[in-house]
Amino acid sequence: EKAVTIEIPENYKGSHIYVRLARLSPDDLESGDIRQKSVFRFKALATLVYDKLTYPNSAIFALNINSEYFSSIPSRSYDLKLMRVQVPSSNYYDPVTRAYLTPNGVSWDGSFAPATWTDNPAWCFYDLLTNTRYGLGNHLDPSLIDKWEIFKIAKYCDELVPDGFDGFEPRYTCNLLITSRKEAISVVRDMAKIFRGMAYWTGSTLSFVYDHLESPEMLFTNANVVDGNFSYSGSELSARKSVALVSWNDPSEGYERTIEYVEDSVALLKYGYKEIELNAIGCTSRGQARRLGKWLLYSENHEGSLLGFSTGNIGASLRPGSIISISDSTKVTSRLGGRVLSAFENNITLDTENLEFVVGAKLLVEVPTLVEETMSDGSTVERHINAIEERSILTVSNGNEVT
């Protein structure tokens, strides 16, 4: 098989061109006992147009390959740093070292640097929401996006964690290609899954929540829920999984999809081999894939219960993903929660005498306003019980007055 390039003169361009193909060598060869027959066949004709074209927002590669050495167009793969996105200005963030800076003790002021490359999923997610070419920028004004919460998520993603193979790596990274059109809400949900988060509308802004260690924001007891009732439900034991098969893109294999096997040895002995498949979106790290599999199995086997209750206006400040504390008298032998009837200085009068307190125990009190010195989120104050005058009157340790 042989390819021939025919240059067309300028004065022939735009005209009908006829190509004649002729064989100059003999069709057959016979010499004594030697007979040679060959087939001469025209296979294909392609027109090559040389022009100066622009390919905006694209990464273009051109290869010149001799068809004598390849029976078909070979597969290629490239390791590239593609999309550039907005990140905090260089005074507050270095996308290379993943360092967050506070010059002169000043926190991020909300300003952004010129677009640069990063694989932090939080900033890639922000670009998806604000980009006018492929994202929601034409439909969602940046002022409606809670960028301060995205900043918190970005710091959480950049934290170094053990990779499971005697090293450390960022908690979450994002390396993906969006190659087809999908519903906006579907793409937003998929991107948020990378940092185990979700987006929700607060009524005035688009905000976000992500799965991380956090202190409880509110305490609910039988005294501040409707009818004092909590309802419980859970998944069947037979539905719980013991093995996770996590699909991710392996850089050492040309970013081909690879399966990472993750098991919960305790659940494996308890429930047997029951697998669940998980697609790790944008994941190019084996350690990240393993952490995702472990998180899924932990959730399957330790977070299978659902709690339901109704409450009044005190629950209006909660948002999706809020962490709360529960004190249910039906789950313990004594009542551990109630309401405060009155408070003066360090003395607190409770609504019942049937509480079993001891000196030195910890008392958690919900307050309706911020207590500046003790709380950053203004929800719960902790005090230690110093004395018990009566079964319903407590003297607590020094601190802000409970009002």
Side-chain angles (χ1 to χ4, degrees):
E1 187 172 309
K2 187 174 182 180
V4 177
T5 302
I6 303 175
E7 296 289 344
I8 300 175
E10 285 289 336
N11 58 330
Y12 279 88
K13 289 184 178 180
S15 305
H16 290 287
I17 298 174
Y18 299 92
V19 178
R20 181 182 178 186
L21 191 64
R23 179 170 179 167
L24 302 179
S25 60
D27 291 338
D28 300 316
L29 177 64
E30 293 187 12
S31 176
D33 296 333
I34 300 176
R35 293 183 179 182
Q36 179 180 341
K37 291 187 176 183
S38 58
V39 178
F40 179 62
R41 183 182 296 115
F42 173 75
K43 187 173 182 181
L45 175 67
T47 302
L48 302 180
V49 178
Y50 298 95
D51 203 349
K52 295 181 179 181
L53 303 175
T54 62
Y55 300 88
N57 303 307
S58 302
I60 304 299
F61 288 83
L63 297 178
N64 191 354
I65 300 174
N66 193 329
S67 60
E68 293 185 22
Y69 304 106
F70 296 92
S71 59
S72 61
I73 298 177
S75 300
R76 291 94 62 205
S77 61
Y78 304 94
D79 188 3
L80 305 172
K81 291 183 177 180
L82 293 174
M83 194 76 181
R84 296 182 179 185
V85 302
Q86 284 188 309
V87 299
S89 56
S90 58
N91 292 334
Y92 304 97
Y93 179 61
D94 186 339
V96 177
T97 63
R98 304 178 187 272
Y100 290 82
L101 312 173
T102 53
N104 300 321
V106 178
S107 300
W108 182 47
D109 60 1
S111 60
F112 288 95
T116 186
W117 185 88
T118 179
D119 59 0
N120 185 306
W123 299 123
C124 295
F125 183 61
Y126 183 76
D127 189 73
L128 173 72
L129 298 176
T130 58
N131 192 287
T132 57
R133 180 176 65 87
Y134 76 97
L136 294 172
N138 291 323
H139 310 282
L140 188 64
D141 192 274
S143 62
L144 301 177
I145 301 173
D146 187 356
K147 62 183 177 182
W148 309 106
E149 192 66 23
I150 288 184
F151 183 79
K152 295 179 183 178
I153 297 174
K155 291 185 67 175
Y156 186 70
C157 293
D158 276 334
E159 288 180 0
L160 296 181
V161 296
D163 62 3
F165 305 97
D166 300 325
F168 290 85
E169 65 180 7
R171 180 177 275 109
Y172 302 118
T173 57
C174 170
N175 294 280
L176 57 81
L177 294 174
I178 300 177
T179 58
S180 60
R181 178 180 294 182
K182 296 178 66 176
E183 289 187 357
I185 188 63
S186 177
V187 180
V188 169
R189 286 172 177 169
D190 287 345
M191 284 283 286
K193 287 179 182 177
I194 298 177
F195 50 82
R196 298 207 303 261
M198 62 177 289
Y200 66 95
W201 184 254
T202 65
S204 58
T205 60
L206 182 66
S207 192
F208 317 93
V209 63
Y210 59 109
D211 189 4
H212 67 293
L213 185 62
E214 194 174 15
S215 300
E217 297 182 22
M218 191 169 291
L219 171 66
F220 288 95
T221 71
N222 303 89
N224 58 2
V225 300
V226 175
D227 297 329
N229 294 328
F230 294 96
S231 63
Y232 297 88
S233 62
S235 61
E236 297 181 3
L237 296 180
S238 59
R240 300 184 182 182
K241 310 301 181 182
S242 57
V243 171
L245 302 179
V246 185
S247 177
W248 64 289
N249 296 90
D250 189 353
S252 64
E253 298 294 337
Y255 291 90
E256 293 291 332
R257 298 300 284 177
T258 305
I259 301 297
E260 181 68 17
Y261 174 89
V262 185
E263 69 174 33
D264 184 329
S265 57
V266 175
L268 197 61
L269 293 174
K270 191 174 182 179
Y271 308 121
Y273 183 90
K274 294 182 179 180
E275 68 180 40
I276 183 172
E277 296 183 359
L278 180 64
N279 179 25
I281 301 172
C283 177
T284 56
S285 162
R286 184 183 178 188
Q288 183 175 330
R290 287 194 63 82
R291 292 192 299 275
L292 185 59
K294 289 182 177 180
W295 167 80
L296 179 63
L297 292 178
Y298 182 90
S299 300
E300 282 275 327
N301 295 288
H302 299 281
E303 298 176 355
S305 298
L306 296 176
L307 170 69
F309 63 90
S310 299
T311 187
N313 294 336
I314 60 172
S317 62
L318 296 177
R319 59 194 180 100
S322 293
I323 306 298
I324 61 174
S325 295
I326 298 294
S327 179
D328 186 359
S329 61
T330 64
K331 292 291 184 178
V332 294
T333 57
S334 60
R335 182 184 178 192
L336 299 178
R339 292 181 178 273
V340 176
L341 295 182
S342 63
F344 178 73
E345 295 182 347
N346 290 355
N347 295 323
I348 298 175
T349 302
L350 305 179
D351 65 343
T352 181
E353 296 183 356
N354 297 323
L355 297 176
E356 297 182 3
F357 287 123
V358 295
V359 174
K362 183 183 293 185
L363 177 69
L364 277 72
V365 181
E366 289 288 338
V367 293
T369 57
L370 287 174
V371 182
E372 197 169 317
E373 289 79 5
T374 58
M375 303 204 47
S376 58
D377 57 1
S379 56
T380 305
V381 179
E382 291 186 2
R383 293 287 182 264
H384 286 87
I385 300 172
N386 290 343
I388 303 175
E389 299 179 15
E390 298 178 15
R391 295 188 64 83
S392 63
I393 301 178
L394 309 177
T395 301
V396 297
S397 57
N398 290 330
N400 293 352
E401 293 185 5
V402 181
T403 58

